[in-house]
Amino acid sequence: MTRPLTFAIPKGRILDEALPLLAKAGIEPEAEFHDKKSRALRFATNRPDVSIIRVRAFDVATFVAHGAAQIGIVGSDVVEEFNYSELYAPVDLDIGHCRLSVAEPVDAADEDQAAMSHVRVATKYPHLTRRYYEKRGLQAECVKLNGAMELAPSLGLSRRIVDLVSSGATLKANGLIETDIIMQISARLIVNRAAYKMRSAELSPLVEAFRAAVGVKDAA
């Protein structure tokens, strides 16, 4: 008997927007999924052939890339940061919109970057950050943080940060301004490439169901 498909769902900002799309695609988690007191990480759904795991956004890509989950939802920032060859991202879900940006203290915004060859940046996106600065002829020393990025400049850890920005209110509250946008972000449906070939009879209809739910074609 074929094991149920495992669908990886991210905790955090995308989850609330993803649930209505799951429902439109015919997948509804069991009641315990919505119980905030539950410590469970794996849940049944209304479909016996699909179970859900709820993990950190960065881990969604890893679970799917390595085949522990066959399908998932994650931001395009995570897809680009990890750049796993095993991931196929066929659908832009048009949710979870924000941007990955460079920010720095207000009094540092006028520094002459042309005179610099090296920058120190606090971020949880070291690969995207290095790539961004390499294109500008600068070497980026990335200080890996998983949160509270906005504190780094005021505490002398780095002059710049690269982080997700939505309204910009958190930056403003910490004396920072957005100086450049690295990429616009939205959530993507991702599929393990090997599973997509081996279990196409199960995964292809799911992909098509999400395409129908959002009314868009393949992700760019």
Side-chain angles (χ1 to χ4, degrees), residues 22-125:
L22 279 168
K24 285 183 180 180
I27 300 172
E28 296 185 21
E30 63 177 308
E32 188 180 2
F33 182 90
H34 304 285
D35 182 358
K36 296 187 183 300
K37 295 180 181 179
S38 174
R39 297 295 182 90
L41 297 174
R42 185 170 192 143
F43 305 89
T45 73
N46 60 318
R47 292 180 47 163
D49 60 334
V50 178
S51 65
I52 284 177
I53 59 172
R54 184 169 56 199
V55 297
R56 293 180 184 275
F58 271 44
D59 293 336
V60 168
T62 301
F63 273 100
V64 176
H66 290 279
Q70 292 74 45
I71 188 168
I73 292 173
V74 76
S76 54
D77 54 318
V78 178
V79 175
E80 292 293 328
E81 173 66 16
F82 284 96
N83 197 26
Y84 285 124
S85 61
E86 300 91 345
L87 289 184
Y88 172 45
V91 186
D92 184 339
L93 298 174
D94 198 27
I95 60 173
H97 291 282
C98 59
R99 55 196 181 273
L100 184 67
S101 296
V102 181
E104 51 195 84
V106 175
D107 61 2
D110 294 329
E111 288 181 359
D112 183 8
Q113 290 198 18
M116 298 186 297
S117 61
H118 173 274
V119 293
R120 195 178 196 202
V121 188
T123 185
K124 65 176 179 179
Y125 298 92

